[in-house]
Amino acid sequence: MATSKLTLLIIILSVFLSPVSQAESPPLLPKIKQLQKAQNQDAQPFVGVNIGSDVSNLVSPSALVSFLQVQKISHIRIYDADPDLLKALARTKIRVIVSVPNNQLLAIGSSNTTAAAWIGKNVVAFYPETLITAIAVGDEVLTTVPSSAPLLLPAIEGLYSALVAANLHTQIKISTPHAASIVLDPFPPSQAFFNQSLSFVVLPLLQFLSRTGSPLMMNLYPYYVFMQNKGVVPLDNSLFKPLTPSKEMVDPNTLLHYTNVLDAMIDAAYFSMKNFNVTDVPLLVTESGWPSKGDSKEPYATVDNADTYNSNLIKHILDRSGTPLRPEITSSVYIYELFNEDLRSPPVSEANWGLFYGNSTPVYLLHVSGSGTFLANDTTNQTYCVVMDGVDSKTLQAALDWACGPGRANCSEIQPGENCYQPNNVKNHASYAFDSYYQKEGKAAGSCDFKGVAMITTTDPSHGGCIYPGSKMVTNKTRQVVNSTVTSGAADSVRFMVTLGSCRISAINKGLHVLVVIAFNILLFISFMAPW
Protein backbone atom coordinates (compact mmCIF):
# COMPACT_ATOMS: atom_id res chain seq x y z
CA MET A 1 0.00 0.00 0.00
CA ALA A 2 2.85 2.40 0.88
CA THR A 3 4.49 1.68 -2.45
CA SER A 4 1.26 2.48 -4.30
CA LYS A 5 0.94 5.77 -2.42
CA LEU A 6 4.56 6.71 -3.21
CA THR A 7 4.12 5.90 -6.89
CA LEU A 8 0.96 7.97 -7.04
CA LEU A 9 2.69 10.88 -5.30
CA ILE A 10 5.58 10.81 -7.78
CA ILE A 11 3.16 10.82 -10.73
CA ILE A 12 1.15 13.72 -9.35
CA LEU A 13 4.28 15.73 -8.56
CA SER A 14 5.66 15.17 -12.05
CA VAL A 15 2.41 16.35 -13.62
CA PHE A 16 2.30 19.55 -11.61
CA LEU A 17 6.00 20.36 -11.74
CA SER A 18 6.50 19.67 -15.44
CA PRO A 19 4.89 22.96 -16.68
CA VAL A 20 7.45 24.92 -14.64
CA SER A 21 10.41 23.06 -16.14
CA GLN A 22 8.97 23.44 -19.64
CA ALA A 23 8.58 27.18 -19.17
CA GLU A 24 12.20 27.50 -18.05
CA SER A 25 13.70 25.55 -20.99
CA PRO A 26 13.78 27.07 -24.51
CA PRO A 27 11.34 25.36 -26.88
CA LEU A 28 13.03 23.25 -29.56
CA LEU A 29 10.30 23.40 -32.22
CA PRO A 30 10.64 27.12 -33.00
CA LYS A 31 14.40 26.65 -33.48
CA ILE A 32 13.78 23.87 -35.97
CA LYS A 33 11.23 26.00 -37.81
CA GLN A 34 13.66 28.93 -37.84
CA LEU A 35 16.39 26.75 -39.36
CA GLN A 36 14.00 25.40 -41.99
CA LYS A 37 12.93 28.96 -42.83
CA ALA A 38 16.57 30.03 -43.30
CA GLN A 39 17.20 27.06 -45.58
CA ASN A 40 14.11 27.84 -47.64
CA GLN A 41 15.12 31.49 -47.98
CA ASP A 42 18.57 30.45 -49.17
CA ALA A 43 16.97 28.42 -51.96
CA GLN A 44 14.87 31.34 -53.20
CA PRO A 45 15.81 33.22 -56.40
CA PHE A 46 18.21 36.08 -55.76
CA VAL A 47 20.01 38.94 -57.47
CA GLY A 48 23.79 39.05 -57.13
CA VAL A 49 26.53 41.15 -58.69
CA ASN A 50 29.70 40.50 -60.67
CA ILE A 51 32.87 42.18 -59.44
CA GLY A 52 35.51 42.90 -62.06
CA SER A 53 39.01 44.09 -61.17
CA ASP A 54 39.86 46.43 -64.09
CA VAL A 55 39.22 49.37 -61.78
CA SER A 56 41.78 52.05 -60.93
CA ASN A 57 42.17 52.55 -57.18
CA LEU A 58 39.92 49.61 -56.33
CA VAL A 59 39.08 49.54 -52.64
CA SER A 60 40.82 47.01 -50.40
CA PRO A 61 39.22 43.57 -49.89
CA SER A 62 38.15 44.40 -46.33
CA ALA A 63 36.66 47.73 -47.45
CA LEU A 64 34.93 45.97 -50.34
CA VAL A 65 33.33 43.44 -48.01
CA SER A 66 32.14 46.23 -45.71
CA PHE A 67 30.68 48.01 -48.72
CA LEU A 68 28.86 44.84 -49.82
CA GLN A 69 27.38 44.47 -46.34
CA VAL A 70 26.22 48.09 -46.26
CA GLN A 71 24.60 47.63 -49.66
CA LYS A 72 22.97 44.37 -48.48
CA ILE A 73 24.52 42.40 -51.36
CA SER A 74 24.51 38.73 -50.39
CA HIS A 75 25.70 37.01 -53.61
CA ILE A 76 28.75 37.89 -55.69
CA ARG A 77 30.69 36.37 -58.56
CA ILE A 78 34.40 37.08 -59.05
CA TYR A 79 36.51 36.27 -62.10
CA ASP A 80 39.30 34.54 -60.19
CA ALA A 81 39.82 33.18 -56.68
CA ASP A 82 41.55 36.15 -55.07
CA PRO A 83 42.79 34.83 -51.70
CA ASP A 84 42.70 38.23 -49.98
CA LEU A 85 39.06 38.77 -50.90
CA LEU A 86 38.09 35.20 -49.99
CA LYS A 87 39.74 35.67 -46.62
CA ALA A 88 37.93 38.99 -46.09
CA LEU A 89 34.61 37.28 -46.87
CA ALA A 90 35.11 34.73 -44.07
CA ARG A 91 32.36 34.55 -41.45
CA THR A 92 30.08 36.84 -43.42
CA LYS A 93 26.80 35.74 -44.96
CA ILE A 94 27.99 36.73 -48.45
CA ARG A 95 27.98 33.84 -50.92
CA VAL A 96 30.56 33.80 -53.69
CA ILE A 97 31.10 32.10 -57.03
CA VAL A 98 34.84 31.75 -57.66
CA SER A 99 36.22 31.35 -61.17
CA VAL A 100 38.96 29.53 -63.04
CA PRO A 101 40.41 32.07 -65.52
CA ASN A 102 40.56 30.95 -69.16
CA ASN A 103 44.36 30.98 -69.12
CA GLN A 104 44.41 28.24 -66.47
CA LEU A 105 42.23 25.79 -68.42
CA LEU A 106 45.13 24.12 -70.22
CA ALA A 107 46.94 23.15 -67.02
CA ILE A 108 43.81 22.06 -65.13
CA GLY A 109 42.22 20.24 -68.09
CA SER A 110 45.43 18.32 -68.71
CA SER A 111 46.12 17.14 -65.14
CA ASN A 112 43.88 15.88 -62.38
CA THR A 113 46.71 16.62 -59.95
CA THR A 114 46.67 20.28 -60.98
CA ALA A 115 42.87 20.32 -60.64
CA ALA A 116 43.09 18.86 -57.13
CA ALA A 117 45.75 21.41 -56.20
CA TRP A 118 43.52 24.25 -57.46
CA ILE A 119 40.62 23.04 -55.30
CA GLY A 120 42.87 22.69 -52.28
CA LYS A 121 44.36 26.15 -52.67
CA ASN A 122 41.25 28.11 -53.70
CA VAL A 123 38.32 26.26 -52.14
CA VAL A 124 39.24 23.89 -49.30
CA ALA A 125 41.53 26.51 -47.75
CA PHE A 126 38.59 28.89 -47.26
CA TYR A 127 35.42 26.80 -47.01
CA PRO A 128 33.17 26.80 -44.96
CA GLU A 129 34.28 30.04 -43.25
CA THR A 130 33.88 31.66 -46.68
CA LEU A 131 30.61 30.60 -48.29
CA ILE A 132 31.76 29.44 -51.73
CA THR A 133 28.64 28.24 -53.55
CA ALA A 134 29.94 27.44 -57.02
CA ILE A 135 32.95 27.34 -59.33
CA ALA A 136 32.71 28.94 -62.77
CA VAL A 137 35.23 27.17 -64.98
CA GLY A 138 36.37 29.68 -67.58
CA ASP A 139 34.16 32.34 -69.12
CA GLU A 140 32.48 32.04 -72.55
CA VAL A 141 35.18 29.54 -73.55
CA LEU A 142 33.30 28.05 -76.51
CA THR A 143 32.98 31.42 -78.25
CA THR A 144 36.01 33.43 -77.08
CA VAL A 145 38.72 30.75 -76.96
CA PRO A 146 37.31 27.87 -79.05
CA SER A 147 40.74 26.25 -79.17
CA SER A 148 40.32 25.46 -75.46
CA ALA A 149 36.90 23.84 -75.96
CA PRO A 150 38.24 20.24 -75.88
CA LEU A 151 39.81 20.95 -72.46
CA LEU A 152 36.67 22.44 -70.89
CA LEU A 153 34.90 19.26 -69.82
CA PRO A 154 38.10 17.48 -68.64
CA ALA A 155 38.84 20.55 -66.49
CA ILE A 156 35.32 20.52 -65.02
CA GLU A 157 35.43 16.79 -64.31
CA GLY A 158 38.89 17.03 -62.75
CA LEU A 159 37.78 19.82 -60.44
CA TYR A 160 34.59 17.93 -59.59
CA SER A 161 36.57 14.82 -58.66
CA ALA A 162 38.66 16.98 -56.32
CA LEU A 163 35.44 18.33 -54.74
CA VAL A 164 34.24 14.73 -54.25
CA ALA A 165 37.54 13.83 -52.59
CA ALA A 166 37.10 16.78 -50.23
CA ASN A 167 33.44 15.82 -49.64
CA LEU A 168 32.30 19.23 -50.92
CA HIS A 169 30.53 18.16 -54.14
CA THR A 170 27.05 18.49 -52.64
CA GLN A 171 27.69 21.97 -51.20
CA ILE A 172 29.58 23.52 -54.12
CA LYS A 173 28.30 23.33 -57.70
CA ILE A 174 30.50 23.51 -60.77
CA SER A 175 29.67 24.75 -64.26
CA THR A 176 30.89 27.14 -66.97
CA PRO A 177 29.32 30.42 -68.20
CA HIS A 178 28.34 30.59 -71.89
CA ALA A 179 27.66 33.47 -74.23
CA ALA A 180 24.08 33.73 -75.50
CA SER A 181 25.40 33.16 -79.03
CA ILE A 182 25.76 29.40 -78.48
CA VAL A 183 21.95 29.34 -78.88
CA LEU A 184 20.95 29.78 -82.52
CA ASP A 185 17.61 31.05 -83.85
CA PRO A 186 16.59 32.22 -80.36
CA PHE A 187 13.20 33.65 -81.33
CA PRO A 188 10.67 32.28 -81.21
CA PRO A 189 12.14 30.35 -78.25
CA SER A 190 10.47 27.09 -79.33
CA GLN A 191 12.66 27.02 -82.45
CA ALA A 192 15.96 27.62 -80.63
CA PHE A 193 18.78 25.09 -80.65
CA PHE A 194 22.42 24.90 -79.62
CA ASN A 195 25.07 25.50 -82.27
CA GLN A 196 25.56 22.02 -83.72
CA SER A 197 29.30 22.54 -84.13
CA LEU A 198 29.55 22.75 -80.32
CA SER A 199 27.51 19.61 -79.61
CA PHE A 200 30.63 17.58 -78.83
CA VAL A 201 31.06 19.75 -75.72
CA VAL A 202 27.53 20.95 -74.92
CA LEU A 203 25.80 17.55 -74.82
CA PRO A 204 28.23 15.82 -72.41
CA LEU A 205 28.34 19.03 -70.36
CA LEU A 206 24.55 19.05 -69.97
CA GLN A 207 24.65 15.38 -68.96
CA PHE A 208 27.28 16.23 -66.35
CA LEU A 209 25.19 19.13 -65.03
CA SER A 210 22.12 16.88 -64.83
CA ARG A 211 24.07 14.20 -62.97
CA THR A 212 25.60 16.60 -60.45
CA GLY A 213 22.61 18.93 -59.95
CA SER A 214 24.53 21.94 -61.25
CA PRO A 215 23.08 24.84 -63.29
CA LEU A 216 23.66 25.83 -66.90
CA MET A 217 25.38 29.20 -66.60
CA MET A 218 24.49 31.77 -69.29
CA ASN A 219 25.50 35.40 -69.85
CA LEU A 220 22.34 37.02 -71.25
CA TYR A 221 22.22 40.62 -72.46
CA PRO A 222 18.96 42.02 -73.86
CA TYR A 223 21.00 45.17 -74.61
CA TYR A 224 22.91 43.39 -77.37
CA VAL A 225 19.75 41.71 -78.68
CA PHE A 226 18.16 45.14 -79.00
CA MET A 227 21.25 46.73 -80.61
CA GLN A 228 21.51 43.94 -83.18
CA ASN A 229 17.79 43.97 -83.97
CA LYS A 230 16.78 47.63 -83.81
CA GLY A 231 13.43 48.15 -85.46
CA VAL A 232 12.43 44.55 -84.71
CA VAL A 233 12.86 44.26 -80.95
CA PRO A 234 11.17 47.18 -79.12
CA LEU A 235 13.25 49.10 -76.58
CA ASP A 236 10.46 48.85 -74.00
CA ASN A 237 10.46 45.07 -74.38
CA SER A 238 14.19 45.02 -73.70
CA LEU A 239 13.83 47.21 -70.58
CA PHE A 240 11.00 45.22 -68.92
CA LYS A 241 8.62 48.12 -69.41
CA PRO A 242 4.89 47.29 -69.34
CA LEU A 243 3.52 46.47 -72.78
CA THR A 244 0.05 46.37 -74.22
CA PRO A 245 -0.95 42.84 -75.31
CA SER A 246 -0.65 43.87 -78.96
CA LYS A 247 3.05 44.68 -78.46
CA GLU A 248 3.96 41.48 -76.63
CA MET A 249 6.10 38.98 -78.50
CA VAL A 250 4.18 35.76 -79.16
CA ASP A 251 5.73 32.38 -79.92
CA PRO A 252 3.54 31.07 -82.78
CA ASN A 253 4.31 27.44 -81.92
CA THR A 254 3.43 27.59 -78.23
CA LEU A 255 1.27 30.75 -78.19
CA LEU A 256 3.26 31.86 -75.14
CA HIS A 257 3.38 35.65 -74.68
CA TYR A 258 6.71 37.29 -73.87
CA THR A 259 6.67 40.67 -72.17
CA ASN A 260 10.46 41.02 -72.01
CA VAL A 261 13.52 39.88 -73.93
CA LEU A 262 15.29 38.21 -70.99
CA ASP A 263 12.48 35.67 -70.44
CA ALA A 264 12.58 34.82 -74.15
CA MET A 265 16.34 34.26 -73.96
CA ILE A 266 15.99 32.01 -70.91
CA ASP A 267 13.23 29.95 -72.54
CA ALA A 268 15.32 29.65 -75.73
CA ALA A 269 18.00 27.99 -73.60
CA TYR A 270 15.42 25.65 -72.01
CA PHE A 271 14.09 24.63 -75.45
CA SER A 272 17.65 24.08 -76.65
CA MET A 273 18.32 21.77 -73.71
CA LYS A 274 15.06 19.95 -74.41
CA ASN A 275 16.33 19.18 -77.93
CA PHE A 276 19.10 17.20 -76.21
CA ASN A 277 16.50 15.45 -73.99
CA VAL A 278 17.74 17.34 -70.94
CA THR A 279 14.91 18.86 -68.89
CA ASP A 280 16.18 18.84 -65.31
CA VAL A 281 19.03 21.37 -65.48
CA PRO A 282 18.17 24.82 -64.04
CA LEU A 283 19.49 27.98 -65.66
CA LEU A 284 21.60 30.53 -63.78
CA VAL A 285 22.09 33.93 -65.42
CA THR A 286 25.71 34.69 -64.53
CA GLU A 287 25.72 38.08 -66.29
CA SER A 288 23.09 40.60 -67.34
CA GLY A 289 23.02 44.38 -67.36
CA TRP A 290 22.91 47.58 -69.37
CA PRO A 291 25.66 50.19 -69.94
CA SER A 292 25.11 53.72 -68.64
CA LYS A 293 27.35 55.44 -71.18
CA GLY A 294 28.49 54.80 -74.75
CA ASP A 295 29.99 56.44 -77.79
CA SER A 296 28.09 57.86 -80.78
CA LYS A 297 27.41 54.34 -82.06
CA GLU A 298 25.67 53.36 -78.84
CA PRO A 299 23.03 56.03 -78.23
CA TYR A 300 20.95 53.73 -76.05
CA ALA A 301 23.73 53.30 -73.50
CA THR A 302 22.37 55.92 -71.11
CA VAL A 303 21.91 56.37 -67.38
CA ASP A 304 18.12 56.32 -67.77
CA ASN A 305 18.11 53.03 -69.69
CA ALA A 306 20.65 51.39 -67.37
CA ASP A 307 18.64 52.45 -64.33
CA THR A 308 15.39 51.25 -65.90
CA TYR A 309 16.80 47.89 -66.98
CA ASN A 310 18.54 46.97 -63.74
CA SER A 311 15.74 48.27 -61.51
CA ASN A 312 13.13 46.31 -63.45
CA LEU A 313 15.38 43.26 -63.63
CA ILE A 314 15.67 43.19 -59.84
CA LYS A 315 11.91 43.54 -59.41
CA HIS A 316 11.26 40.85 -62.03
CA ILE A 317 13.51 38.30 -60.33
CA LEU A 318 12.31 39.02 -56.81
CA ASP A 319 8.68 38.78 -57.98
CA ARG A 320 9.46 35.07 -58.64
CA SER A 321 7.19 34.91 -61.68
CA GLY A 322 9.40 32.56 -63.68
CA THR A 323 9.16 32.56 -67.48
CA PRO A 324 6.23 31.79 -69.80
CA LEU A 325 7.61 28.28 -70.40
CA ARG A 326 8.71 27.62 -66.80
CA PRO A 327 6.57 29.82 -64.53
CA GLU A 328 7.45 27.62 -61.56
CA ILE A 329 11.19 28.35 -61.88
CA THR A 330 12.74 31.80 -61.53
CA SER A 331 16.39 31.99 -62.52
CA SER A 332 18.71 33.90 -60.21
CA VAL A 333 20.71 36.66 -61.89
CA TYR A 334 24.10 38.30 -61.35
CA ILE A 335 24.12 41.91 -62.53
CA TYR A 336 27.07 42.96 -64.62
CA GLU A 337 28.55 44.70 -62.75
CA LEU A 338 29.27 46.30 -59.36
CA PHE A 339 31.88 48.88 -60.42
CA ASN A 340 32.61 50.73 -63.64
CA GLU A 341 35.82 49.12 -64.94
CA ASP A 342 37.49 52.31 -66.13
CA LEU A 343 40.63 50.45 -67.27
CA ARG A 344 38.70 48.61 -69.97
CA SER A 345 39.62 49.26 -73.59
CA PRO A 346 37.12 50.89 -76.02
CA PRO A 347 34.28 51.07 -76.92
CA VAL A 348 33.22 53.52 -74.21
CA SER A 349 30.39 51.25 -73.03
CA GLU A 350 32.91 48.59 -71.92
CA ALA A 351 33.94 50.82 -69.03
CA ASN A 352 30.40 51.81 -68.01
CA TRP A 353 28.38 48.77 -66.94
CA GLY A 354 28.77 49.42 -63.20
CA LEU A 355 26.20 50.34 -60.61
CA PHE A 356 28.95 52.29 -58.81
CA TYR A 357 32.10 54.16 -59.65
CA GLY A 358 35.39 52.75 -58.36
CA ASN A 359 35.22 55.12 -55.35
CA SER A 360 31.94 53.42 -54.29
CA THR A 361 29.65 56.32 -55.18
CA PRO A 362 26.58 55.27 -57.22
CA VAL A 363 26.46 55.92 -60.95
CA TYR A 364 22.68 56.19 -60.55
CA LEU A 365 20.09 55.29 -57.95
CA LEU A 366 18.18 52.10 -58.62
CA HIS A 367 14.41 52.32 -58.16
CA VAL A 368 13.61 49.04 -56.43
CA SER A 369 11.58 50.15 -53.41
CA GLY A 370 9.36 47.37 -52.13
CA SER A 371 11.49 44.65 -53.71
CA GLY A 372 13.28 43.39 -50.64
CA THR A 373 16.48 44.75 -49.17
CA PHE A 374 18.78 44.39 -52.18
CA LEU A 375 21.02 47.41 -52.65
CA ALA A 376 20.76 50.06 -49.97
CA ASN A 377 21.53 52.79 -52.52
CA ASP A 378 17.86 52.79 -53.46
CA THR A 379 17.03 56.18 -51.88
CA THR A 380 18.00 54.97 -48.38
CA ASN A 381 21.34 56.82 -48.39
CA GLN A 382 21.42 60.61 -48.75
CA THR A 383 22.98 61.48 -52.09
CA TYR A 384 24.16 64.66 -53.77
CA CYS A 385 24.98 65.67 -57.34
CA VAL A 386 28.35 67.35 -57.83
CA VAL A 387 30.87 68.14 -60.57
CA MET A 388 33.18 65.35 -61.69
CA ASP A 389 36.93 65.95 -61.46
CA GLY A 390 38.85 66.95 -64.56
CA VAL A 391 36.08 68.84 -66.38
CA ASP A 392 37.16 72.00 -68.21
CA SER A 393 35.75 75.35 -67.10
CA LYS A 394 34.08 76.17 -70.42
CA THR A 395 32.01 72.98 -70.41
CA LEU A 396 31.14 73.51 -66.74
CA GLN A 397 30.03 77.09 -67.36
CA ALA A 398 27.64 75.93 -70.08
CA ALA A 399 26.17 73.30 -67.75
CA LEU A 400 25.91 75.85 -64.92
CA ASP A 401 24.11 78.32 -67.19
CA TRP A 402 21.60 75.64 -68.18
CA ALA A 403 20.98 74.54 -64.58
CA CYS A 404 20.33 78.09 -63.36
CA GLY A 405 18.38 78.99 -66.51
CA PRO A 406 16.17 76.43 -68.29
CA GLY A 407 16.78 73.89 -65.50
CA ARG A 408 15.28 76.29 -62.95
CA ALA A 409 17.69 75.30 -60.19
CA ASN A 410 17.69 77.60 -57.16
CA CYS A 411 20.98 79.46 -57.64
CA SER A 412 20.34 82.29 -55.18
CA GLU A 413 22.87 80.90 -52.67
CA ILE A 414 25.77 81.18 -55.14
CA GLN A 415 25.22 84.90 -55.80
CA PRO A 416 27.75 87.48 -54.47
CA GLY A 417 27.49 87.91 -50.73
CA GLU A 418 25.45 84.73 -50.20
CA ASN A 419 26.50 81.68 -48.18
CA CYS A 420 27.71 79.54 -51.09
CA TYR A 421 29.39 82.23 -53.21
CA GLN A 422 32.83 81.36 -51.82
CA PRO A 423 35.02 79.85 -53.10
CA ASN A 424 34.20 81.91 -56.17
CA ASN A 425 34.89 79.46 -58.99
CA VAL A 426 32.81 77.71 -61.62
CA LYS A 427 33.32 74.22 -60.17
CA ASN A 428 31.98 75.20 -56.75
CA HIS A 429 29.04 77.13 -58.18
CA ALA A 430 28.19 74.35 -60.66
CA SER A 431 28.19 71.69 -57.94
CA TYR A 432 25.67 73.66 -55.90
CA ALA A 433 23.47 74.30 -58.95
CA PHE A 434 23.67 70.66 -60.03
CA ASP A 435 22.59 69.47 -56.57
CA SER A 436 19.75 71.98 -56.50
CA TYR A 437 18.43 70.66 -59.81
CA TYR A 438 18.97 67.02 -58.77
CA GLN A 439 17.07 67.43 -55.50
CA LYS A 440 14.32 69.47 -57.22
CA GLU A 441 13.79 66.61 -59.68
CA GLY A 442 13.42 64.14 -56.83
CA LYS A 443 16.78 62.49 -57.63
CA ALA A 444 15.18 61.01 -60.73
CA ALA A 445 17.27 58.89 -63.07
CA GLY A 446 19.27 61.09 -65.43
CA SER A 447 18.87 64.25 -63.34
CA CYS A 448 22.55 64.15 -62.35
CA ASP A 449 24.28 63.95 -65.71
CA PHE A 450 24.62 67.37 -67.39
CA LYS A 451 26.17 65.77 -70.49
CA GLY A 452 28.53 63.63 -68.49
CA VAL A 453 30.13 66.27 -66.23
CA ALA A 454 28.26 65.43 -63.01
CA MET A 455 28.24 62.46 -60.66
CA ILE A 456 26.26 61.24 -57.65
CA THR A 457 28.05 61.11 -54.30
CA THR A 458 27.10 60.13 -50.75
CA THR A 459 29.62 62.62 -49.29
CA ASP A 460 27.97 65.83 -48.14
CA PRO A 461 29.62 68.69 -50.11
CA SER A 462 28.36 71.32 -47.67
CA HIS A 463 31.10 73.53 -46.19
CA GLY A 464 31.11 76.27 -43.57
CA GLY A 465 27.83 78.16 -43.74
CA CYS A 466 27.08 76.76 -47.21
CA ILE A 467 24.47 74.03 -46.81
CA TYR A 468 23.70 72.10 -49.99
CA PRO A 469 20.06 71.52 -51.00
CA GLY A 470 20.31 67.78 -50.22
CA SER A 471 21.40 68.50 -46.66
CA LYS A 472 18.64 71.08 -46.18
CA MET A 473 16.09 68.38 -47.07
CA VAL A 474 17.63 65.98 -44.56
CA THR A 475 17.49 68.67 -41.86
CA ASN A 476 13.78 69.30 -42.57
CA LYS A 477 13.03 65.58 -42.44
CA THR A 478 14.91 65.28 -39.15
CA ARG A 479 12.82 68.07 -37.64
CA GLN A 480 9.65 66.27 -38.73
CA VAL A 481 10.86 63.03 -37.16
CA VAL A 482 11.77 64.80 -33.91
CA ASN A 483 8.34 66.47 -33.73
CA SER A 484 6.68 63.15 -34.45
CA THR A 485 8.73 61.54 -31.69
CA VAL A 486 7.74 64.21 -29.16
CA THR A 487 4.07 63.82 -30.05
CA SER A 488 4.19 60.07 -29.73
CA GLY A 489 6.18 60.13 -26.48
CA ALA A 490 3.09 59.74 -24.26
CA ALA A 491 1.84 56.84 -26.33
CA ASP A 492 5.26 55.18 -26.07
CA SER A 493 5.10 55.60 -22.29
CA VAL A 494 1.72 53.91 -22.24
CA ARG A 495 3.03 51.07 -24.39
CA PHE A 496 6.02 50.70 -22.05
CA MET A 497 3.77 50.55 -18.97
CA VAL A 498 1.52 47.99 -20.64
CA THR A 499 4.54 45.85 -21.49
CA LEU A 500 5.95 46.24 -17.99
CA GLY A 501 2.55 45.43 -16.53
CA SER A 502 2.28 42.26 -18.58
CA CYS A 503 5.71 41.19 -17.33
CA ARG A 504 4.55 41.76 -13.73
CA ILE A 505 1.37 39.79 -14.36
CA SER A 506 3.40 37.00 -15.88
CA ALA A 507 5.71 36.94 -12.87
CA ILE A 508 2.75 36.95 -10.46
CA ASN A 509 1.08 34.11 -12.34
CA LYS A 510 4.27 32.07 -12.20
CA GLY A 511 4.64 32.77 -8.47
CA LEU A 512 1.01 31.77 -7.81
CA HIS A 513 1.56 28.59 -9.78
CA VAL A 514 4.53 27.63 -7.58
CA LEU A 515 2.61 28.46 -4.37
CA VAL A 516 -0.35 26.36 -5.51
CA VAL A 517 1.93 23.42 -6.25
CA ILE A 518 3.64 23.72 -2.85
CA ALA A 519 0.29 24.00 -1.02
CA PHE A 520 -1.06 21.02 -2.91
CA ASN A 521 2.03 18.99 -2.05
CA ILE A 522 1.63 19.81 1.64
CA LEU A 523 -2.01 18.71 1.58
CA LEU A 524 -1.02 15.64 -0.33
CA PHE A 525 1.67 14.80 2.22
CA ILE A 526 -0.83 15.16 5.07
CA SER A 527 -3.28 12.89 3.34
CA PHE A 528 -0.48 10.51 2.53
CA MET A 529 0.44 10.17 6.22
CA ALA A 530 -3.16 9.61 7.23
CA PRO A 531 -4.59 6.05 7.00
CA TRP A 532 -6.64 5.31 3.86
Side-chain angles (χ1 to χ4, degrees), residues 189-383:
S190 59
Q191 293 181 189
F193 59 93
F194 288 118
N195 187 330
Q196 297 299 308
S197 66
L198 302 174
S199 296
F200 74 101
V201 176
V202 175
L203 178 56
L205 172 64
L206 290 174
Q207 292 169 339
F208 169 85
L209 298 177
S210 175
R211 187 171 71 251
T212 60
S214 298
L216 175 67
M217 295 179 172
M218 296 287 293
N219 298 338
L220 304 178
Y221 289 96
Y223 171 73
Y224 289 124
V225 173
F226 169 74
M227 290 296 291
Q228 293 161 10
N229 299 275
K230 282 184 289 185
V232 178
V233 177
L235 179 62
D236 286 355
N237 195 273
S238 304
L239 296 172
F240 294 95
K241 286 188 176 180
L243 300 173
T244 59
S246 62
K247 291 185 177 181
E248 292 176 358
M249 299 184 295
V250 180
D251 187 324
N253 301 314
T254 61
L255 299 182
L256 293 173
H257 286 238
Y258 288 88
T259 60
N260 66 83
V261 173
L262 183 67
D263 280 353
M265 298 177 79
I266 292 173
D267 278 357
Y270 279 130
F271 275 110
S272 298
M273 284 192 277
K274 189 176 181 181
N275 289 334
F276 279 145
N277 294 317
V278 176
T279 58
D280 60 348
V281 173
L283 191 140
L284 176 64
V285 181
T286 36
E287 289 181 14
S288 191
W290 198 284
S292 61
K293 190 176 183 180
D295 55 30
S296 58
K297 295 180 180 178
E298 297 182 283
Y300 297 94
T302 66
V303 166
D304 280 346
N305 287 343
D307 183 6
T308 300
Y309 179 82
N310 284 322
S311 295
N312 288 339
L313 170 65
I314 293 167
K315 293 175 184 176
H316 185 65
I317 299 304
L318 299 184
D319 280 347
R320 304 172 187 173
S321 55
T323 66
L325 179 66
R326 306 291 294 271
E328 77 284 2
I329 300 175
T330 298
S331 297
S332 295
V333 173
Y334 287 81
I335 292 177
Y336 186 84
E337 58 186 328
L338 185 62
F339 298 119
N340 273 350
E341 293 188 87
D342 58 320
L343 300 180
R344 287 271 182 163
S345 55
V348 173
S349 62
E350 277 298 300
N352 290 280
W353 289 84
L355 301 173
F356 296 86
Y357 295 105
N359 63 2
S360 301
T361 59
V363 178
Y364 49 86
L365 293 183
L366 291 168
H367 293 72
V368 292
S369 296
S371 296
T373 57
F374 179 79
L375 279 174
N377 77 327
D378 175 32
T379 69
T380 57
N381 287 341
Q382 180 55 35
T383 54

Side-chain angles (χ1 to χ4, degrees), residues 434-479:
F434 290 176
D435 191 56
S436 174
Y437 178 81
Y438 174 65
Q439 304 296 341
K440 176 178 73 73
E441 295 296 310
K443 298 188 283 191
S447 60
C448 181
D449 182 51
F450 299 94
K451 295 187 176 180
V453 302
M455 71 175 197
I456 295 171
T457 179
T458 55
T459 302
D460 188 350
S462 302
H463 52 88
C466 176
I467 307 301
Y468 267 57
S471 292
K472 291 178 181 177
M473 291 183 176
V474 171
T475 303
N476 291 337
K477 287 181 180 178
T478 303
R479 288 200 190 106

